[in-house]
């Protein structure tokens, strides 16, 4: 059994009993029952995921996977492909949005070159030498092939990228990470993600394709046409179907229309779930990775939090398919893990409420009439 | 001119130019224009409020005003009145939800007895002696009178409570506070807040009255009836009217059906705005205070952030009247400033994005095609 199969087999089904036990404690705390709404829901899920009496999510890591996409040759993105590598350097220099928000969350930032179409010289290192930013060179391939014409990856490349994600998250967990956030960088990756969600849910391409980093109307029409043709080329058009396909097709379609960073994030999600660590999904790209992960291991969504509802069309369909409700809705559409880093604070708040509040008995406060 | 009038006269109208200048900087940062959605909106507002080139909201204070309500004699609440004083002690012992969330936000917590119907012995002090929790004894009266039968406060008491709020926030600002959150504790205060929103917006009582800490159907029907009768008794029924009334009526209706903590929070909001400090409104009770503040000083909402959308019926009406859009929607209905403390992290995130991100030129990243 290879590492991917082993990891999938370690993902358990969470029993309802843990969440029920957690609710009993929540109802004993000095507040009207249920009055902390979604924080209580998050606390219950943290107890169920971790199996801990008092779940801690203090030690946090944001894992940003970067990869390029051959499909950019079709003109489906508002920015040139070179921006992927330029933004990796920006992450290492500390100037990107995810740097600001990971610092603000008190999270480590792990930037992974899993498939950037550029060579980073050996001297390329994080400017922050405190260990809070790490750069991992785990290139599986220098970008995907153009999925409008051929398969984006070979089967072996897809497995290698998934396995890389598992290994990266396992290393973070070995360092002590208690809460994992997923982030992405890859010009062209909303096109790949739209192709994945269309193939896995059977929804019309036009409904689940958006403007990514900001293409205009003509660009959007072109993107929809390119994705639609590619799905037909790869035999992935399933009009009228819905729901997640079984295991092997998820891996197949990942190879055909996915991305190296999407596969890597799928591995991060699977690895976190296998180790019973909660994982916070950022927006549309992370959602595509989670769809693939759920195709491989149907229980995986139990270990996931949806950080936010992205502006990107199709994100709503992803979340409904995964059965996840976004924590915030701030009209974000940046990626990089920015929404996930913001949500980490709210998830940690839920854990602290659960762990630190006094009970009615402890505080000597009268209960409800 | 008294302190209240002086404060009101110091609240300026914010020019649109500051927000426009802020957007120009936001568009120069290494992200697709507009891709950080509401964080960009918040950053623009922070620049406009503070007038600073790089607005800082690192130093934070949550001000929780506690007061009792004579109207609890009518049986409109799920908890006995004694809980107000018991919860003040819980705040001082560090076991309440707001303690957990203020610590998590890195905020000072200032607990103000502005009208609790209990005497706290001189030895009553915060267990946390670090200075992060403070207890202020500023009792204007030992609770309000029963507004179902007579005016809740005299005109002088209402002015004294408003002035107390101004003084408390001025002291926090003098200590360095850059971001203020409002919180409340007062059994019965959703009834007073519903009366305020009904009187100020002309909306039907049944539409804007909710279950507070958790009354049942019979309790809710009773609460609606009590509030409706009280509005008639005080001549505050204005069927079909809408929008905020002019200055003197806002003070009048505050005295007739308001609360000491609601008046105090109104003062906090006015004082923060006069000093050009952003203020984060918690839920329904803080919203009532903001409605009163806006009745006294129409520009005040420009200085406010609505932290969240409360479960409490009527909160939506308040926010629409104030022209505010909630930052999160987490099904909260606890009060104490809990939602506001959570939102502080997101507001600070917006400030840091504005202040700390690299521009395209600085990072050497290519701009859009």
């Amino acid at each position: 059994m290879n590492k991917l199969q082993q990891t999938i087999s370690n993902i358990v089904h969470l029993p309802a009993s843990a969440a029920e036990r957690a609710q009993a404690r929540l109802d004993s705390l000095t507040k009207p029952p249920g009055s902390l709404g979604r924080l209580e829901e998050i606390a219950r899920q943290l107890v169920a995921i971790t199996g801990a009496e008092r779940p801690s999510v203090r030690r946090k890591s944001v894992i940003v996977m970067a990869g390029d996409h051959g499909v950019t040759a079709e003109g489906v993105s508002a920015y040139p492909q070179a921006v992927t590598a330029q933004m990796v350097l920006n992450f290492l220099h500390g100037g990107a949005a995810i740097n600001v928000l990971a610092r603000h969350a008190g999270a480590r930032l792990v930037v992974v070159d899993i498939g950037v179409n550029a060579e980073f010289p050996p001297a390329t290192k994080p400017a922050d030498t405190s260990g809070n930013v790490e750069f991992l060179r785990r290139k599986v391939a220098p970008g995907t092939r153009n999925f409008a014409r051929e398969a984006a990856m070979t089967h072996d490349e897809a497995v290698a990228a998934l396995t890389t994600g598992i290994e990266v998250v396992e290393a973070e967990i070995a360092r002590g990470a208690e809460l994992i956030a997923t982030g992405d960088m890859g010009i062209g990756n909303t096109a790949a993600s739209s192709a994945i969600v269309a193939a896995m849910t059977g929804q019309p391409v036009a409904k689940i394709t958006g403007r990514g980093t900001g293409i205009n109307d003509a660009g959007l029409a072109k993107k929809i046409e390119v994705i639609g043709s590619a799905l037909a080329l790869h035999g992935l058009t399933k009009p009228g179907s819905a729901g997640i396909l079984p295991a092997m097709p998820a891996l197949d379609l990942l190879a055909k229309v996915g991305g190296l960073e999407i596969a890597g994030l799928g591995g991060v999600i699977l690895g976190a779930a296998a180790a019973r660590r909660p994982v916070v999904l950022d927006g549309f790209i992370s959602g595509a990775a989670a769809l693939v992960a759920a195709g491989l291991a149907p229980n995986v969504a139990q270990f996931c939090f949806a950080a936010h509802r992205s502006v990107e069309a199709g994100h709503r369909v992803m979340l409904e398919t995964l059965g996840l409700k976004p924590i915030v809705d701030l009209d974000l559409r940046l990626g990089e893990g920015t929404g996930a880093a913001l949500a980490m604070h709210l998830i940690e708040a839920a854990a602290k409420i659960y762990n630190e509040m006094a009970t009615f008995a402890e505080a000597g406060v009268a209960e409800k009439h």
Side-chain angles (χ1 to χ4, degrees), chain A:
Chain A
M1 191 152 59
N2 65 26
K3 185 164 191 82
L4 176 60
Q5 290 166 328
Q6 178 70 55
T7 302
I8 290 168
S9 72
N10 284 345
I11 298 173
V12 297
H13 179 79
L14 297 176
S17 56
E20 285 160 18
R21 205 176 61 239
Q23 190 59 52
R25 172 165 167 83
L26 286 163
D27 290 343
S28 76
L29 303 175
T30 46
K31 57 174 186 52
S35 60
L36 282 175
R38 296 221 44 216
L39 290 192
E40 300 194 24
E41 202 177 299
I42 292 168
R44 288 197 301 274
Q45 195 180 340
L46 288 174
V47 170
I49 290 171
T50 61
E53 279 302 304
R54 298 289 183 268
S56 167
V57 290
R58 189 179 65 79
R59 301 180 73 170
K60 313 175 197 77
S61 294
V62 179
I63 300 174
V64 180
M65 294 269 173
D68 273 309
H69 292 262
V71 74
T72 53
E74 305 293 326
V76 293
S77 181
Y79 286 81
Q81 192 183 71
V83 165
T84 305
Q86 289 165 356
M87 283 301 297
V88 166
L89 295 176
N90 197 18
F91 297 155
L92 299 182
H93 294 149
I98 189 57
N99 294 100
V100 175
L101 297 180
R103 285 196 298 266
H104 188 44
R108 241 170 81 80
L109 175 62
V110 181
V111 180
V112 187
D113 170 12
I114 194 165
V116 180
N117 186 19
E119 284 305 317
F120 296 103
T124 307
K125 290 199 166 63
D128 177 342
T129 56
S130 68
N132 289 330
V133 181
E134 188 165 347
F135 180 42
L136 298 179
R137 298 165 186 268
R138 299 296 304 264
K139 204 190 296 283
V140 170
T144 55
R145 283 169 284 277
N146 180 355
F147 73 66
R149 291 159 192 265
E150 58 186 318
M153 295 175 267
T154 64
H155 180 273
D156 284 356
E157 283 170 341
V159 171
L162 280 159
T163 305
T164 298
I166 295 169
E167 289 169 354
V168 168
V169 78
E170 281 180 349
E172 281 307 291
I173 292 168
R175 284 180 70 113
E178 296 165 322
L179 182 62
I180 305 293
T182 61
D184 68 284
M185 183 67 225
I187 298 301
N189 66 11
T190 59
S193 298
S194 288
I196 288 171
V197 66
M200 292 195 77
T201 67
Q203 293 287 327
V205 174
K207 182 182 166 188
I208 48 74
T209 302
R211 294 177 190 274
T213 48
I215 45 173
N216 60 19
D217 288 351
L220 179 58
K222 169 81 175 169
K223 186 174 173 181
I224 291 168
E225 187 223 306
V226 166
I227 294 169
S229 304
L231 292 178
L233 170 72
H234 297 295
L236 289 167
T237 311
K238 299 177 27 90
S241 78
I244 292 177
L245 304 171
M248 286 315 293
L251 190 51
D252 276 354
L253 76 86
L254 172 67
K256 283 172 174 163
V257 297
L260 292 154
E261 81 283 38
I262 296 171
L265 292 174
V268 167
I269 295 163
L270 293 170
R276 299 188 66 165
R277 291 299 186 285
V279 56
V280 197
L281 306 176
D282 192 32
F284 193 57
I285 315 304
S286 293
L291 273 184
V292 170
L296 296 168
N299 291 333
V300 84
Q302 295 190 293
F303 298 84
C304 295
F305 292 98
H308 71 110
R309 190 190 311 282
S310 167
V311 172
E312 185 70 17
H315 192 230
R316 187 180 293 261
V317 170
M318 281 177 177
L319 295 183
E320 281 166 9
T321 305
L322 292 164
L324 298 175
K325 197 174 152 194
I327 296 175
V328 297
D329 189 353
L330 296 170
D331 298 339
L332 307 177
R333 55 179 173 83
L334 176 55
E336 299 180 6
T338 47
L342 287 169
M344 281 177 141
H345 181 83
L346 301 174
I347 294 169
E348 192 176 9
K352 288 181 172 179
I353 284 290
Y354 189 81
N355 296 338
E356 298 178 17
M357 272 185 74
T359 64
F360 280 98
E362 285 164 0
V365 174
E367 298 209 39
K368 216 165 150 178
H369 286 308

